[in-house]
Amino acid sequence: MSVAFVFPGQGSQSVGMQNDLAEHYDVVRDTWSEAGDVLGIDLWSLASEGPAEQLDETVNTQPAMLTAGVATWRAWQASGGAAPVMMAGHSLGEYSALVASGALSFADAVAVVRRRAELMQGAVPAGEGAMAAVLGLDDDALVAVCEQVSTRGVAEAVNFNSPGQVVVAGQREAIEVLIEKAREAGARRAILLPVGVPAHSSLMRPAGEALAETIAATAFSDPAVEVVSAVDGIPYKDAADIRERMQAQVYSPVRWVDTIQCMTAAGVTSIVECGPGKVLTGLLRRIDRGITAACLDSSAAIQSTIDGASE
């Protein structure tokens, strides 16, 4: 069985999301302590005890989800889990994948991600950005709706998560109009998301360009395990390629369907979600029902996945 690992991004966080893993694996608490040392805060207490409102702030969520993904990966390794043949990450999760692949040190990733979050949060004034999920509408039809409302402001398809499930982002007024137009166009659901930062839209270009300076000063290596970029669904070639595309990642759409299809075309038959929540596992089943999917959201899940792979 050819196995790939995928790492979730912002939106899968919750208070207490790694309490179970921390009880069973010392490396989990060690990973959170390492991140906290880089940031100068008690990140573990925030993730394990809350408050949720503080954990959900972008500047905290991004380093917390990076840490959760890497901690889960390290717990997998400590359990003797098999090495995957490919990796990828959804949005922020791409940083976890790069760390797990050996392309980026964890400490450097924490610093870059915190800077990424600060730049993204400051790119658009509070209350002026918005994101919405649109379900049950063809991708091309949704892009046409985005173009239709463009006179009201920026409104772009930014996360192509699965067939019939796309997230849009942009200026709040335009997104609110888009929600109504998408329903009129036949969308099953179109709902505003509780997110103020219009991630992966063109409004994030200044943030991505500013982040380029931080990325240029950060050490990257060629990945030891192939990592597929969600910017275009193509594996990174080397460290230089990673630098270039990770800067553009901030304002480029997440092409998750293309990413998973790249993996299956390469012969991957099983995909494991490495981190809290089951968002990506649900998307995988919508993209390709032939994929065997598992989620490492607890110590029991890690052991059952290892046991299943050996059967």
Side-chain angles (χ1 to χ4, degrees):
M1 183 168 59
S2 183
V3 181
F5 269 48
V6 294
F7 295 81
Q10 195 166 342
S12 290
Q13 75 276 1
S14 63
V15 173
M17 58 186 171
Q18 295 217 297
N19 289 0
D20 171 75
L21 284 182
E23 290 179 8
H24 293 84
Y25 300 98
D26 291 340
V27 71
V28 171
R29 283 296 301 270
D30 291 344
T31 302
W32 284 91
S33 294
E34 185 180 348
D37 289 345
V38 173
L39 299 173
I41 63 174
D42 189 349
L43 190 62
W44 170 251
S45 292
L46 178 59
S48 61
E49 301 171 9
E53 295 79 9
Q54 190 174 347
L55 178 62
D56 288 343
E57 293 176 8
T58 297
V59 292
N60 294 322
T61 303
Q62 292 199 23
M65 282 303 300
L66 163 72
T67 302
V70 173
T72 305
W73 167 248
R74 290 176 173 176
W76 172 263
Q77 290 181 304
S79 298
V85 298
M86 300 181 87
M87 295 180 176
H90 189 284
S91 188
L92 171 72
E94 201 156 329
Y95 282 90
S96 299
L98 291 171
V99 172
S101 74
L104 178 63
S105 77
F106 177 54
D108 283 347
V110 173
V112 173
V113 162
R114 169 52 74 90
R115 180 61 177 152
R116 178 182 187 267
E118 291 170 346
L119 290 168
M120 291 177 68
Q121 191 159 291
V124 176
E128 293 187 14
M131 299 184 78
V134 180
L135 309 179
L137 196 62
D138 177 81
D139 290 356
D140 291 339
L142 179 56
V143 170
V145 174
C146 289
E147 293 174 353
Q148 182 182 353
V149 303
S150 61
T151 55
R152 306 295 291 270
V154 175
E156 300 165 352
V158 297
N159 289 3
F160 294 89
N161 288 331
S162 69
Q165 183 177 358
V166 178
V167 173
V168 295
Q171 293 168 308
R172 178 170 288 273
E173 180 184 351
I175 295 301
E176 290 174 346
V177 173
L178 183 144
I179 287 173
E180 296 305 315
K181 295 295 184 182
R183 290 170 178 163
E184 293 173 6
R188 189 170 70 255
R189 292 186 70 193
I191 54 174
L192 200 65
L193 298 175
V195 180
V197 175
H200 298 287
S201 73
S202 59
L203 295 174
M204 291 294 107
R205 181 175 285 274
E209 292 174 347
L211 184 64
E213 182 177 344
T214 301
I215 290 176
T218 302
F220 286 87
S221 303
D222 295 351
V225 179
E226 198 167 52
V227 179
V228 182
S229 168
V231 170
D232 49 20
I234 299 172
Y236 289 112
K237 296 189 292 290
D238 51 29
D241 189 25
I242 293 172
R243 288 180 188 279
E244 182 177 348
R245 280 194 271 176
M246 287 306 286
Q247 175 260 327
Q249 188 231 31
V250 175
Y251 54 83
S252 300
V254 177
R255 300 192 179 281
W256 195 243
V257 174
D258 293 345
T259 298
I260 299 305
Q261 289 177 343
C262 172
M263 289 180 163
T264 57
V268 167
T269 56
S270 178
I271 297 181
V272 176
E273 182 172 2
C274 192
K278 298 181 179 179
V279 172
L280 301 185
T281 303
L283 295 179
L284 289 170
R285 292 179 175 135
R286 296 187 186 99
I287 295 170
D288 189 338
R289 292 188 177 276
I291 297 174
T292 299
C295 179
L296 307 182
D297 59 350
S298 67
S299 56
I302 289 178
Q303 192 56 55
S304 64
T305 302
I306 291 174
D307 292 344
S310 63
E311 290 177 356

